Amino acid sequence: MKPVKEIPLVLLTIFTQAAIGLSLWATFFLYSYPDGIYLFTPVIPGVALVILTVGLISSVFHLGHPLGGIRSMGNLKFSWLSKEILAFGVYGVMLVTDLVLQLNGVSSLPIQVLVCLCGSVALYTSSRIYRNAGYPALNNFIPLLSFVGTSVLLGLGLLNMGFLGFFVMSTEVSAVLGQTLFWTLIIFTVIHFLIPVYWLTGNRVMRTTSVNHFRSILFWTRGLLSIWAIGLFIFSNQNPTLYIFWLIFIGEVTGRVLFFNHMAHASENIGKSFV
Amino acid sequence: MKQLGFHFNAKKCLGCFTCAMACKNMYHQPTAVTWRKLYNLDDPIYPYAFRGFYSLACNHCETPACLRACPVGAYAKRDTDGVVIHDQNKCIGCGNCIRSCPFGAPQYNEELKKAEKCSFCWQRLDQNLEPACVLSCPVNAIEIIDVSTNNMEPTQAPPGIQFPEGFPESKELNPSIRFTLPKTPDLLCSGPFSTKIAKAKKDNS
Amino acid sequence: MSVKDGLYQVFRNVCPRNCYDTCSIKTYVADGKIQFIEGAPESSFTDGGLCVKGYSYIDRVYSKDRVTYPMRQMRQASGKLSGQWERVTWDQALTTIAYKIHEINKKDGSLHGLCLAIGSGNHGITNNSPEGMMSSLGYTTRTVGTPCWPAGIDAQTYDFGEMWCNDPEDFVNSKYIILWGVNPAWCSVHTMKFIYTAQEKGAKVVVIDPVFTQTAAKADHYIQIKPGTDGLLALGMAQFMIDQEFIDTSFISEHTLGYKRFNSYLQGTINLSDVSKTCGIPENEIQQLAFEFATTKPATIWVGYGMQRHTNGGANVRAIDALGALTGNIGKSGGGVRYGHKTNRIFNYFAADMSAPESVNTLGTGSNRAINTNKLAQEILDAADPPIRMLWNTCRNPLSQDFNRPLLEKAFKKLEFIVCVDQFMTMTAQQADIFLPVTTLFEEESINVAYWHYWLGINEKAIEPIGECKSNTQIAIDLSKKMNELYPGSCTFPTDLSPDDWIEKEFNDAVYTMYGITSWKELKSGSKRALIDPVAWKDKIFDTPSKKYEFYSKSAKTDGHKALPESFPGRDSTMPYRVLTPHSKFAIHSQFQNLDVMESFNPEPHVSIHPDIAAEKGITDGDWVRVFNTQGEVIVKSRVTNTVSKLCLVLYEVWFKNHDYCVQNLVDDASSDMGALKTGSLGVAIHDQFADIEKVSQKRPGFPFKFWGQS
């Protein structure tokens, strides 16, 4: 796989996961702190919808024949890719529903929970695509972990941006959100460094993947970006600035490029010992 | 149910690349695409470098990863013989099959912007002709077997190991391939040569 | 690709490469293009399959690199080739050539200044036409001999009276097979199935080779011998067999000559512990090998061409022949000492056999000038009165394949005019004045037989020539027309024969009888095997003067050799390591490796070195190294491997179009001991070459991190 070819997939996964994260966190905070947030509420499904659409549109460019994307739900019985398209479709429809309702002044909790549920299912289908026999290093919980990480971090980050004043938080909520982001960032930074260590305990293909990671500039860049963001958090009295959001965003993109380009494929190892 | 597969005999294989080239002779793939590939065996598997090989194409699995991964249903498994066929008219070039197959069978054709893989020469099979690679091998190191009738148990050796060293052990796919392992020559004479024994042997013969 | 639905026209072809296997091919054509080719099933030798080279033919015929029109390279005022090529018409090209031939004739009063360099690039029988073309112009200079197998031919001639061996399909009857310095797993893949059959029936296969070859990997036993000591090993075995009475006394007494002298030489001179030391093989292994070979019947030896490419190569082969005779394995099914044969070379050779024009004959300038083909460089430089002014090069790529390349480059500079007939811009073609594009086997008619198996096949024209390509015969016809147009009566090469006529004229009753056919057209339904016994020397009447197998050969003595198959040491080492330049599995000489598809299988050259040499020289696998001797150097990547011995550096002799790689920089033109008797020139000691090796650049410890990872 040529690196550049996977850029559409990087954008697809990052953007869709950010949208899902936004839906999840927004729902969580809105109902946990109903008084701490002042919000033009349709902005949440609106922004999520825009991001989702950008992700989905960019994804067709990884197809040799982008117009054929229209047929990509052709194997719902088996293909996680077909299921993913369906799941994102449903998630998108739910977002539209939520958006329309909110524009009409109706904020329905069941609908919003349904949005979150559909988003989570879509995220899961996405992670299943990469859980395949071709990549022993990924044929486990790691894609899901990685995708959840992106979703959680970018969702929080987006929520934090305030959307040009459509979204105002009380100091209390802002502090909780900042704290959550801070600790989530720490957790996923640790995970970032632990995953290749975990791979070292696996078979030869997993070990190769691990070595690929440790030898990759992208791996260390992503790690440093995360540490940088954590550092800024600490020195800015845990005030999640826009600057930090961009650090996290670039970190996630870097991590995703890493994900697509540094995985050793089982077939690369044929003829060599797999133990 | 009938399930055709290859029996690859590494003991016989000369690593001569004839099979891989015979495939190209038949289907004219672009230079970078090879349906059948030769893999050199590393030291722990065969102790002499570039002298032991696996010649592999599509293994026409019982549960093909490609068929399950393909979002447009471009892959089909034939009921008659279990051969896994890729229909390029349906393929949209998403690359999901390429990522999914642990054996590296599907490959990306940059010219067509589509995937493709070994077809078991099903068009030839249907006319009672051997696949190009099988016909080409100068030492019959590649044979067609029906793994369902189990003249070769997956674990039986020899012949017919399903997962030799150096081959991805993807049990859930159940690849329709059996191997015979390569051998190395022995020492001609390990101890001191005994004229007496030799003479006796000669007289007895 | 369906075959039965009548989509294809099927043609018969035969691979005309200089190869043991000479495969019968079925070519499937549709829309005037070759769609695919297959091995012909009629030949039990080819048996439906070709080899990696054969199956790459489509890529060769339709290669984007193929030159399909005549070209001319301009010379600078200094006479140096400019590197500037321009497309010309056939008429322009042939006119230029005709002018030059005429000019030489006028200047020198003869055509000795015109030299034909023809190699083994196309063994089709009608491809002898360049020889005929030269003869039809007058008396020219000819390269005589072959680098391939001459020392062994002479050795077998002294021993048996003629080089002849059992049909390779008869390997199946052997119980013991020694593959001595031969690598059929790469160089004769179709013979391997017969060896495997023998093995499956219980035969033991032993490989003796300095390199752990692919064949060695398939053998029951492998013996690593020091290069050039094969004859001594055979004599050690012989001495031990006689000593232990493992020999066939009745065969020896009835069918051989000079046994007593041979025995007294062995008992007086050969000492097993010395043999063991010199050959680098433990004594017990030699004893076991001799015992097993002598007591397992029938046993056979296949003598490779590599081991006679030494200064003692002919003697080596004679010593090995003796093992066959001592054990009575000659003239037996499953036995014999196999080297090659020419029993089927009974064609008319009409295309080669032309007479000089009357104008030349009446002048009585006499005969062709012969030069040693194996010393092409030196011969060109030495030729005088007249010097060689013009070279007609066809079926040959000397700047890639001929010995002492630095000297050959010098020799080429001395030439005034070079015509190169080829399909690609080879190393030689790049040094030509005129490039003439020649057809592949699919675009011309011919006939082929092998020097190994016994099959005869017809080569039909399956497709029209690509571009403006012409066959060697058509080029000769067109040149003849042009010569006679400009200078009437200057060329006798026939111009009015049809392609069928050219085939017809090669056949005679002897050929028809040998193959049991009444017309060559019968070959269009498949190749035919010669109706001769698969066992050579079955009647045990040999072609030697004594009609016996000659351990003691007076003819050898007359020719200045030892009468007995005595062993003598090979060439002295002048550098620390021996250079071996054997064949690659991806090429035959400079053909095939240049194709894109072959390059994708085998992308770059390498030198194989033993891990101990690597450690000593600080070389790791993949390092760039310089292999050098007093003659020249090759800079190439290293492959550290336990398949080569500590004494040798192995570089495969091939032409990579994208690499400046030529093993002939290291190989000089030292002669082997025999070859002049049957081929006119001594062979070449290709494997008696020496060099040193060093790492070229201190490889900087690369940046330890990658950006994109694997891809």
Side-chain angles (χ1 to χ4, degrees):
Chain A
M1 286 283 141
K2 291 277 179 301
V4 68
K5 239 169 58 183
E6 303 298 8
I7 291 298
L9 287 181
V10 170
L11 297 181
L12 165 76
T13 52
I14 293 279
F15 278 68
T16 55
Q17 284 153 24
I20 294 163
L22 178 62
S23 296
L24 288 169
W25 284 119
T27 310
F28 173 77
F29 276 103
L30 277 171
Y31 290 95
S32 305
Y33 301 93
D35 305 326
I37 300 172
Y38 315 95
L39 179 69
F40 174 62
T41 46
V43 80
I44 295 290
V47 169
L49 202 57
V50 169
I51 298 173
L52 179 75
T53 310
V54 171
L56 289 179
I57 288 173
S58 70
S59 79
V60 300
F61 294 105
H62 96 279
L63 299 176
H65 297 261
L67 292 178
I70 209 145
R71 291 187 280 120
S72 57
M73 273 190 283
N75 190 8
L76 283 172
K77 190 175 170 196
F78 291 124
S79 174
W80 285 101
L81 185 47
S82 287
K83 291 173 192 174
E84 182 200 37
I85 303 300
L86 177 65
F88 276 122
V90 173
Y91 172 55
V93 169
M94 290 313 297
L95 279 178
V96 172
T97 312
D98 190 24
L99 179 65
V100 171
L101 285 177
Q102 295 212 30
L103 284 174
N104 290 304
V106 184
S107 184
S108 155
L109 177 62
I111 289 291
Q112 279 153 23
V113 169
L114 219 52
V115 165
C116 292
L117 221 58
C118 291
S120 304
V121 169
L123 184 90
Y124 176 72
T125 57
S126 227
S127 79
R128 282 301 305 235
I129 293 172
Y130 302 97
R131 247 192 89 169
N132 61 50
Y135 291 116
L138 294 182
N139 193 3
N140 46 38
F141 58 92
I142 283 173
L144 184 60
L145 190 65
S146 164
F147 290 1
V148 166
T150 305
S151 187
V152 165
L153 284 172
L154 292 184
L156 270 175
L158 280 173
L159 204 57
N160 219 357
M161 284 168 72
F163 304 127
L164 306 169
F166 284 116
F167 187 109
V168 184
M169 287 170 285
S170 69
T171 344
E172 185 208 354
V173 173
S174 184
V176 173
L177 209 149
Q179 280 288 318
T180 317
L181 185 55
F182 179 67
W183 288 107
T184 320
L185 191 57
I186 286 177
I187 289 166
F188 283 102
T189 306
V190 171
I191 289 173
H192 169 74
F193 285 106
L194 281 182
I195 286 175
V197 178
Y198 161 73
W199 282 330
L200 279 179
T201 65
N203 65 23
R204 187 172 172 148
V205 183
M206 289 168 80
R207 292 200 304 277
T208 307
T209 305
S210 176
V211 171
N212 287 352
H213 275 65
F214 283 130
R215 291 191 59 179
S216 164
I217 292 170
L218 294 173
F219 175 77
W220 297 106
T221 307
R222 200 244 170 143
L224 286 175
L225 285 169
S226 302
I227 291 168
W228 189 356
I230 292 168
L232 276 178
F233 250 118
I234 293 168
F235 287 107
S236 63
N237 291 324
Q238 296 176 2
N239 175 24
T241 57
L242 198 61
Y243 185 26
I244 290 174
F245 171 78
W246 284 113
L247 281 181
I248 295 172
F249 179 73
I250 296 166
E252 287 309 300
V253 171
T254 315
R256 197 49 48 81
V257 174
L258 187 70
F259 179 91
F260 280 109
N261 289 294
H262 289 251
M263 293 300 154
H265 195 276
S267 67
E268 287 168 27
N269 209 45
I270 295 178
K272 299 175 194 139
S273 173
F274 273 84
V275 184
Chain B
M1 207 162 74
K2 192 174 173 188
Q3 173 63 62
L4 293 187
F6 294 112
H7 168 225
F8 172 66
N9 191 331
K11 190 181 150 198
K12 282 184 171 178
C13 174
L14 305 172
C16 68
F17 282 75
T18 299
C19 47
M21 195 64 94
C23 181
K24 301 214 96 170
N25 162 67
M26 189 62 70
Y27 297 107
H28 314 271
Q29 302 95 337
T31 309
V33 180
T34 36
W35 290 0
R36 181 167 280 281
K37 281 186 177 175
L38 268 94
Y39 296 87
N40 173 43
L41 300 183
D42 252 18
D43 190 3
I45 303 173
Y46 195 79
Y48 300 97
F50 294 93
R51 295 291 182 266
F53 298 87
Y54 291 154
S55 165
L56 298 173
C58 173
N59 300 313
H60 301 275
C61 302
E62 189 193 5
T63 316
C66 54
L67 187 148
R68 294 183 162 251
C70 179
V72 294
Y75 286 90
K77 197 166 168 63
R78 303 216 297 184
D79 293 335
T80 46
D81 52 14
V83 167
V84 178
I85 293 174
H86 176 246
D87 181 353
Q88 265 200 333
N89 293 325
K90 290 187 183 167
C91 180
I92 57 171
C94 73
N96 211 26
C97 53
I98 299 169
R99 273 190 288 273
S100 299
C101 172
F103 312 110
Q107 287 165 49
Y108 196 70
N109 182 330
E110 290 283 355
E111 287 170 24
L112 299 175
K113 305 263 178 231
K114 287 179 178 190
E116 58 182 64
K117 72 160 192 77
C118 156
S119 65
F120 216 109
C121 290
W122 61 268
Q123 299 93 330
R124 288 175 61 88
L125 280 185
D126 289 350
Q127 299 187 330
N128 286 323
L129 296 168
E130 285 182 317
C133 54
V134 175
L135 179 66
S136 77
C137 180
V139 291
N140 296 323
I142 311 170
E143 295 169 317
I144 303 177
I145 50 167
D146 180 355
V147 294
S148 69
T149 58
N150 249 340
N151 47 9
M152 291 197 180
E153 288 292 335
T155 51
Q156 182 193 333
I161 294 166
Q162 192 177 14
F163 298 110
E165 233 194 311
F167 183 68
E169 196 173 345
S170 295
K171 283 186 179 147
E172 84 254 40
L173 308 186
N174 195 8
S176 307
I177 184 164
R178 300 294 182 268
F179 292 81
T180 298
L181 300 181
K183 280 198 166 175
T184 54
D186 310 324
L187 277 178
L188 189 57
C189 184
S190 44
F193 179 76
S194 162
T195 309
K196 249 189 190 170
I197 298 170
K199 274 232 168 99
K201 273 194 200 161
K202 188 200 167 199
D203 294 342
N204 284 341
S205 63
Chain C
M1 299 282 158
S2 53
V3 178
K4 285 185 180 165
D5 53 10
L7 280 175
Y8 304 103
Q9 271 182 290
V10 184
F11 294 91
R12 296 285 170 176
N13 290 94
V14 184
C15 185
R17 307 279 83 90
N18 181 356
C19 169
Y20 284 106
D21 290 11
T22 310
C23 289
S24 302
I25 298 174
K26 278 175 93 172
T27 304
Y28 293 82
V29 176
D31 306 327
K33 277 193 85 174
I34 305 172
Q35 301 300 321
F36 63 97
I37 62 173
E38 272 179 4
E42 292 82 6
S43 161
S44 50
F45 188 84
T46 303
D47 195 27
L50 303 171
C51 72
V52 65
K53 293 155 281 183
Y55 281 117
S56 74
Y57 267 131
I58 294 182
D59 291 83
R60 178 158 166 178
V61 172
Y62 301 109
S63 169
K64 65 174 172 25
D65 297 330
R66 193 168 162 195
V67 183
T68 56
Y69 43 79
M71 291 178 85
R72 177 167 60 195
Q73 181 174 201
M74 307 312 290
R75 282 185 186 262
Q76 294 164 352
S78 61
K80 223 177 121 191
L81 287 162
S82 64
Q84 303 296 311
W85 286 88
E86 61 176 14
R87 181 175 178 167
V88 293
T89 63
W90 273 99
D91 192 64
Q92 287 170 315
L94 293 175
T95 305
T96 312
I97 292 166
Y99 283 158
K100 186 67 192 177
I101 293 172
H102 180 70
E103 178 199 309
I104 290 171
N105 208 354
K106 232 167 93 182
K107 197 184 283 178
D108 299 332
S110 87
L111 277 178
H112 279 176
L114 167 59
C115 175
L116 172 68
I118 185 166
S120 67
N122 187 332
H123 266 193
I125 286 168
T126 59
N127 262 289
N128 288 307
S129 48
E131 303 262 8
M133 181 183 77
M134 289 293 143
S135 298
S136 66
L137 287 165
Y139 298 108
T140 56
T141 298
R142 302 295 180 86
T143 56
V144 172
T146 162
C148 183
W149 55 343
I153 299 179
D154 283 9
Q156 290 225 315
T157 307
Y158 294 130
D159 293 336
F160 300 98
E162 186 64 81
M163 167 183 67
W164 188 18
C165 63
N166 290 15
D167 189 324
E169 299 179 36
D170 163 71
F171 265 119
V172 297
N173 301 316
S174 296
K175 288 281 170 259
Y176 202 84
I177 299 170
I178 299 181
L179 302 174
W180 203 319
V182 66
N183 186 12
W186 282 12
C187 302
S188 179
V189 291
H190 295 83
T191 307
M192 286 304 287
K193 61 177 171 287
F194 303 113
I195 294 173
Y196 279 171
T197 306
Q199 234 173 347
E200 280 155 17
K201 284 162 67 183
K204 242 185 202 187
V205 175
V206 180
V207 166
I208 303 173
D209 203 300
V211 179
F212 184 90
T213 59
Q214 186 65 62
T215 310
K218 300 298 160 190
D220 296 286
H221 305 294
Y222 167 63
I223 294 173
Q224 188 162 62
I225 189 170
K226 286 188 189 170
T229 65
D230 308 80
L232 187 63
L233 172 63
L235 296 178
M237 289 166 66
Q239 194 260 2
F240 183 74
M241 282 175 194
I242 294 171
D243 197 44
Q244 302 290 317
E245 295 169 14
F246 294 149
I247 52 173
D248 185 336
T249 45
S250 70
F251 180 90
I252 293 169
S253 62
E254 284 167 43
H255 305 299
T256 72
L257 179 79
Y259 169 69
K260 275 187 188 160
R261 294 203 216 198
F262 182 44
N263 187 21
S264 70
Y265 160 74
L266 289 175
Q267 304 309 334
T269 319
I270 302 299
N271 169 315
L272 210 54
S273 73
D274 290 348
V275 172
S276 164
K277 225 171 101 189
T278 311
C279 300
I281 303 163
E283 235 174 284
N284 60 342
E285 282 202 26
I286 302 174
Q287 291 167 332
Q288 183 77 24
L289 178 66
F291 164 67
E292 288 183 3
F293 178 74
T295 56
T296 319
K297 298 281 168 67
T300 186
I301 303 174
W302 181 355
V303 178
Y305 302 142
M307 58 107 101
Q308 50 94 51
R309 290 168 185 159
H310 290 274
T311 52
N312 57 1
N316 286 341
V317 176
R318 287 201 67 201
I320 294 169
D321 286 347
L323 295 175
L326 284 175
T327 55
N329 274 308
I330 308 299
K332 273 189 183 174
S333 173
V337 182
R338 298 154 193 253
Y339 185 73
H341 70 91
K342 284 187 159 184
T343 46
N344 48 17
R345 302 270 154 166
I346 51 170
F347 294 88
N348 292 338
Y349 300 101
F350 170 78
D353 190 22
M354 303 289 162
S355 49
E358 271 178 36
S359 56
V360 175
N361 267 333
T362 48
L363 286 172
T365 28
S367 59
N368 289 331
R369 170 168 67 179
I371 62 170
N372 182 347
T373 200
N374 294 327
K375 293 181 183 291
L376 184 66
Q378 199 59 55
E379 293 275 31
I380 291 174
L381 289 169
D382 289 351
D385 290 328
I388 295 173
R389 303 180 188 278
M390 172 175 171
L391 194 72
W392 185 289
N393 182 83
T394 184
C395 307
R396 184 167 180 167
N397 186 2
L399 281 166
S400 168
Q401 300 304 121
D402 276 52
F403 316 102
N404 197 344
R405 168 149 154 166
L407 194 69
L408 193 59
E409 283 171 21
K410 213 173 128 192
F412 262 62
K413 291 205 177 91
K414 196 188 156 197
L415 297 166
E416 295 165 15
F417 192 76
I418 299 157
V419 177
C420 185
V421 183
D422 213 314
Q423 291 154 357
F424 296 96
M425 254 309 151
T426 63
M427 286 174 163
T428 307
Q430 286 169 28
Q431 302 304 317
D433 293 82
I434 298 279
F435 181 101
L436 299 180
V438 75
T439 45
T440 65
L441 64 151
F442 303 102
E443 303 151 56
E444 65 190 32
E445 299 85 357
S446 198
I447 315 148
N448 291 75
V449 288
Y451 47 78
W452 181 237
H453 64 67
Y454 282 73
W455 291 86
L456 160 72
I458 196 83
N459 185 78
E460 295 179 285
K461 182 169 159 182
I463 53 167
E464 286 305 311
I466 304 294
E468 297 178 17
C469 294
K470 291 179 198 277
S471 68
N472 267 307
T473 308
Q474 191 59 47
I475 293 172
I477 292 169
D478 290 355
L479 182 68
S480 184
K481 283 180 185 163
K482 180 55 73 180
M483 287 299 295
N484 286 319
E485 174 195 322
L486 296 173
Y487 315 104
S490 62
C491 186
T492 65
F493 198 86
T495 56
D496 51 355
L497 296 175
S498 72
D500 277 8
D501 292 340
W502 284 98
I503 302 282
E504 183 80 41
K505 285 190 176 292
E506 293 294 353
F507 281 84
N508 53 45
D509 287 345
V511 180
Y512 287 140
T513 309
M514 180 179 268
Y515 292 94
I517 50 176
T518 52
S519 159
W520 59 270
K521 288 183 175 147
E522 288 177 41
L523 296 166
K524 291 188 174 195
S525 59
S527 298
K528 295 271 189 246
R529 190 192 174 279
L531 301 173
I532 51 177
D533 199 292
V535 179
W537 310 115
K538 199 173 190 179
D539 56 6
K540 311 210 176 42
I541 298 166
F542 297 93
D543 282 351
T544 52
S546 65
K547 301 289 168 201
K548 293 186 171 189
Y549 177 90
E550 296 194 352
F551 290 113
Y552 185 91
S553 164
K554 272 188 197 158
S555 331
K557 201 172 180 184
T558 314
D559 292 346
H561 308 295
K562 300 268 168 54
L564 289 168
E566 291 181 32
S567 148
F568 55 92
R571 197 179 190 190
D572 268 347
S573 150
T574 50
M575 302 288 275
Y577 306 109
R578 184 181 290 265
V579 172
L580 296 180
T581 52
H583 299 303
S584 153
K585 63 180 165 185
F586 298 105
I588 181 141
H589 303 308
S590 59
Q591 302 188 63
F592 295 108
Q593 177 61 69
N594 61 306
L595 304 176
D596 287 338
V597 64
M598 204 64 89
E599 206 177 46
S600 76
F601 287 180
N602 184 43
E604 56 183 10
H606 65 267
V607 54
S608 298
I609 55 175
H610 189 274
D612 286 1
I613 303 180
E616 191 188 316
K617 299 281 183 178
I619 297 165
T620 50
D621 193 72
D623 279 353
W624 283 94
V625 293
R626 176 172 165 261
V627 184
F628 62 99
N629 57 22
T630 49
Q631 181 184 291
E633 64 176 27
V634 172
I635 291 172
V636 69
K637 272 188 186 170
S638 68
R639 180 181 284 176
V640 179
T641 165
N642 56 357
T643 53
V644 295
S645 85
K646 287 175 206 175
L647 306 170
C648 304
L649 308 170
V650 178
L651 301 101
Y652 296 102
E653 50 101 8
V654 288
W655 171 50
F656 283 88
K657 67 172 171 173
N658 293 321
H659 294 268
D660 182 21
Y661 169 81
C662 181
V663 299
Q664 311 305 344
N665 282 328
L666 300 168
V667 179
D668 69 18
D669 62 0
S671 293
S672 57
D673 54 344
M674 295 180 191
L677 173 66
K678 291 300 253 189
T679 69
S681 294
L682 292 173
V684 201
I686 298 171
H687 298 316
D688 277 336
Q689 306 292 335
F690 303 91
D692 202 350
I693 186 168
E694 66 180 15
K695 203 164 152 174
V696 271
S697 60
Q698 285 304 317
K699 201 176 154 193
R700 269 167 292 145
F703 188 58
F705 298 105
K706 296 176 189 168
F707 194 70
W708 290 115
Q710 239 81 346
S711 38

